[in-house]
Amino acid sequence: MARDLERARSVHRTDWMALLSGGLFVVLGILLLTGSITDPLVLASVTVVGLGFAGLVAVVARVARGKQPS
């Protein structure tokens, strides 16, 4: 029984790409709902830059952990 509890508490590594992309879309949704962003070109450029930043962080985190990208 103790093994089952230990196995259930295993720690997973953070998926930085998913975490930052989700945060980006939440923030963009809030900005759209409040009317802070009205220009579609600004929205598209912030989305592309944000996803690029999230990808860069994910690659750096993977290299820092010592895993090769698949």
Side-chain angles (χ1 to χ4, degrees), residues 8-66:
R9 294 182 185 179
S10 65
V11 177
H12 296 281
R13 292 186 173 158
T14 304
D15 183 1
W16 288 103
M17 182 71 182
L19 180 66
L20 293 174
S21 297
L24 172 70
F25 285 111
V26 167
V27 169
L28 287 177
I30 291 170
L31 290 175
L32 281 172
L33 288 175
T34 60
S36 297
I37 293 181
T38 56
D39 187 15
L41 185 60
V42 172
L43 177 65
S45 61
V46 169
T47 303
V48 169
V49 169
L51 289 176
F53 176 73
L56 180 66
V57 170
V59 168
V60 169
R62 181 171 288 191
V63 169
R65 284 193 303 240

